[in-house]
Amino acid sequence: MEKLNSGYGKLQILFDIDLEVPKGEITTIVGPNGSGKSTFLKSLFGLTDIYSGRVTYEGRDITYTPPHEKTKMGISYLPQTNNVFTNLTVRENLRIAGYILNGDELEERINFALEVFPELRGILDRKAGSLSGGQRQMLAMATALVRKTRILMLDEPTAQLSPKLAQVIFDKIVELRDNYDITPILVEQNAKRALEISDVGYMFVSGRVAYGGSAKSLLNHEKFQSYFLGVVGIEEC
Ligand SMILES: Nc1ncnc2c1ncn2[C@@H]1O[C@H](COP(=O)(O)OP(=O)(O)O)[C@@H](O)[C@H]1O
Ligand SMILES: [Mg+2]
């Protein structure tokens, strides 16, 4: 994406965002609260107002491509909350995710999603609203797999999970990259641990890219370290 400027109506949130997401790698965006991380994912998916700049995907300009078209292209976005239908069962959520597929293909895709998330097999008839936070996140990710996702955007998938469960989710994200040819784009408050599993890291401050480079270099960068010691001191690193 080149020089992207976006926001909500007249309220500009992101300024001149230049960012590249390498295929087959995990790209993670960190930054303080309100720095525009969620707005960034929404802008990629087509849920904000884009004033200028360009988003390209496999050589195609998708800056103004509507979300449902992006979904068909294999781009998925899982918001931080409301990413499953709580009043439907796990099975129903998976079926709805693949509603455009024909019956056989749908079954095949659901089986595939359950291979990646066998944790869901025993709870297919439970209402999504009754699941634990970790199970719910796995269901959300599984619905993206039913849809043949190639780019998977995740907004704080480990928020409110115990460190142990957060690690399970991080491991799944690595598995999606390594075994299923999926390119995850991650926004995380759990910044240190997210960068540890990532290839590329960006740090946003006040709607701008304060740093971009390898995830490792960001972890070691003084901006990241001071952000951690200064702003995020109260949070778990
Ligand atoms: N739907 C919206 N309408 C107007 N302003 C919004 C909306 N969503 C977020 N914002 C504003 O955009 C800024 C960045 O928010 P956000 O992208 O959610 O940051 P982050 O995810 O980094 O915490 C904040 O000032 C927030 O108040
Ligand atoms: Mg956010």
Side-chain angles (χ1 to χ4, degrees):
M1 98 172 14
E2 292 161 34
K3 294 238 168 285
L4 194 79
N5 287 279
S6 68
Y8 307 94
K10 285 183 183 160
L11 183 64
Q12 181 166 357
I13 304 294
L14 295 179
F15 300 86
D16 293 332
I17 303 286
D18 270 316
L19 194 150
E20 206 160 316
V21 174
K23 204 173 165 182
E25 299 190 358
I26 300 174
T27 297
T28 290
I29 292 114
V30 301
N33 256 333
S35 58
K37 304 183 299 298
S38 295
T39 302
F40 168 72
L41 292 188
K42 286 190 252 175
S43 298
L44 280 188
F45 199 55
L47 301 172
T48 61
D49 296 307
I50 293 178
Y51 314 126
S52 64
R54 223 157 68 100
V55 183
T56 53
Y57 173 57
E58 297 191 328
R60 225 176 115 181
D61 188 330
I62 58 161
T63 316
Y64 298 101
T65 304
H68 66 272
E69 290 291 330
K70 290 195 177 120
T71 303
K72 283 189 207 151
M73 295 167 68
I75 300 174
S76 288
Y77 161 64
L78 297 180
Q80 193 183 342
T81 51
N82 300 325
N83 52 19
V84 296
F85 296 104
T86 50
N87 55 341
L88 300 183
T89 65
V90 169
R91 192 192 310 274
E92 288 165 344
N93 268 281
L94 294 172
R95 297 189 73 89
I96 282 191
Y99 76 97
I100 53 169
L101 307 173
N102 67 41
D104 285 350
E105 206 182 0
L106 177 60
E107 282 314 309
E108 199 180 293
R109 295 302 302 178
I110 289 178
N111 283 335
F112 165 65
L114 292 174
E115 252 171 55
V116 184
F117 293 98
E119 295 87 346
L120 299 174
R121 280 189 200 279
I123 53 172
L124 286 170
D125 295 314
R126 291 249 314 263
K127 286 260 167 74
S130 75
L131 303 181
S132 71
Q135 289 170 329
R136 204 189 279 210
Q137 186 57 43
M138 287 191 211
L139 173 58
M141 291 167 72
T143 61
L145 295 186
V146 172
R147 289 194 299 263
K148 295 193 185 172
T149 290
R150 300 176 63 208
I151 306 263
L152 178 57
M153 299 192 264
L154 300 158
D155 196 342
E156 302 203 20
T158 70
Q160 273 146 37
L161 298 186
S162 69
K164 207 173 140 195
L165 262 175
Q167 196 54 51
V168 172
I169 297 296
F170 283 137
D171 290 345
K172 292 285 186 189
I173 292 168
V174 169
E175 194 182 332
L176 293 180
R177 175 197 64 188
D178 291 346
N179 301 345
Y180 301 103
D181 209 18
I182 288 173
T183 300
I185 308 176
L186 203 56
V187 158
E188 266 293 346
Q189 279 291 318
N190 218 333
K192 184 162 179 287
R193 291 213 295 168
L195 287 171
E196 280 165 358
I197 61 141
S198 300
D199 304 289
V200 179
Y202 283 86
M203 182 166 161
F204 282 14
V205 175
S206 307
R208 294 176 191 273
V209 173
Y211 183 83
S214 73
K216 206 171 182 178
S217 71
L218 177 51
L219 268 172
N220 293 321
H221 198 276
E222 61 181 37
K223 275 188 183 156
F224 180 75
Q225 308 231 344
S226 65
Y227 153 65
F228 258 87
L229 298 176
V231 187
V232 194
I234 40 164
E235 292 187 14
E236 183 228 344
C237 305

